[in-house]
Amino acid sequence: MNKTITLEVNGTDLTFEMTPDAYNKFINEMQPTNKVAPAHSLLMRTVTDDTKDDLKDLLKKPGAALELVGSLVSEYTPDLSIIVGKSKKSPNE
């Protein structure tokens, strides 16, 4: 699912073009000891050209990449209702 997402950050609009490929690449790049680089890469890969300079300025702030990518991924991924437990009908019935 391709989705255009605009995040307002400190009064500045940043627009991102999210795609399944960009999201999957981000997830595949994540490692237990490496989270900032994949976040930075996803943001830079998906930001639109007209807001790229504003993003670069924001990414100079400590922790900005992780906060931004958290909001971006949260907006991109669907809300799923998942219930863990015994199914209502057992397979033997």
Side-chain angles (χ1 to χ4, degrees), residues 17 22 25-26 29 38 40-47 52:
E17 298 291 337
K25 188 170 184 172
F26 165 68
E29 291 172 344
H40 185 276
S41 295
L42 175 67
L43 294 168
M44 292 304 294
R45 274 196 299 266
T46 59
V47 70
K52 188 173 275 195

Side-chain angles (χ1 to χ4, degrees), residues 48-74:
T48 59
D49 288 339
D50 59 323
T51 61
K52 188 173 275 195
D53 287 338
D54 292 326
L55 174 62
K56 287 179 182 178
D57 288 340
L58 285 169
L59 289 176
K60 293 175 185 174
K61 299 179 185 298
L66 292 178
E67 284 194 52
L68 288 168
V69 86
S71 295
L72 185 61
V73 168
S74 177

Side-chain angles (χ1 to χ4, degrees), residues 2-64:
N2 294 349
K3 188 173 184 181
T4 300
I5 299 168
T6 300
L7 302 177
E8 183 181 330
V9 184
N10 294 342
T12 300
D13 286 345
L14 301 173
T15 305
F16 300 88
E17 298 291 337
M18 288 292 292
T19 65
D21 288 340
Y23 175 78
N24 290 338
K25 188 170 184 172
F26 165 68
I27 296 301
N28 290 335
E29 291 172 344
M30 294 280 288
Q31 299 292 321
T33 59
N34 187 17
K35 295 186 180 40
V36 176
H40 185 276
S41 295
L42 175 67
L43 294 168
M44 292 304 294
R45 274 196 299 266
T46 59
V47 70
T48 59
D49 288 339
D50 59 323
T51 61
K52 188 173 275 195
D53 287 338
D54 292 326
L55 174 62
K56 287 179 182 178
D57 288 340
L58 285 169
L59 289 176
K60 293 175 185 174
K61 299 179 185 298

